[in-house]
Amino acid sequence: MKAWIALPLIALALAGCAGKTAYRESCATQLDAAWKELDLAKAEGFAGAVSYSKALSLLTGAKTQQQFEGYESCTAKAEKARFYIRESRAGR
């Protein structure tokens, strides 16, 4: 393969790898915070609330996305879970 063809392909491959890991740290940070907040909500007695159940479901999905390197989706799910945790703690 000629160099002028190979270089753009290599650059494209590297850009794809960088994009895949762009949300890795955010995913981990959001998940850690959400699990801690969920534990606190449970300790405060909000474990039976609908919002708590939604948050737990979203966190389970986020963890699955993290394991399959779907970091952007993981981040979005964890952020949404944190919203529902706040709603749960507010009694909604």
Side-chain angles (χ1 to χ4, degrees):
M1 186 179 279
K2 302 243 184 236
W4 58 273
I5 293 173
L7 288 177
L9 292 176
I10 292 170
L12 185 60
L14 290 175
C17 291
K20 190 172 189 174
T21 59
Y23 286 88
R24 181 184 293 175
E25 187 174 329
S26 175
C27 168
T29 301
Q30 290 290 334
L31 271 176
D32 287 343
W35 283 114
K36 288 175 185 173
E37 291 168 6
L38 193 70
D39 287 342
L40 184 58
K42 186 177 180 180
E44 291 173 346
F46 296 111
V50 173
S51 294
Y52 179 93
S53 299
K54 287 180 183 179
L56 182 58
S57 178
L58 284 164
L59 285 177
T60 302
K63 186 63 179 174
T64 300
Q65 290 296 314
Q66 183 186 40
Q67 291 171 338
F68 287 100
E69 298 180 2
Y71 301 118
E72 187 173 359
S73 179
C74 166
T75 300
K77 281 181 171 68
E79 288 173 348
K80 195 169 185 178
R82 293 182 76 192
F83 166 78
Y84 282 116
I85 293 166
R86 286 190 299 275
E87 289 293 297
S88 173
R89 294 180 72 197
R92 295 185 281 252

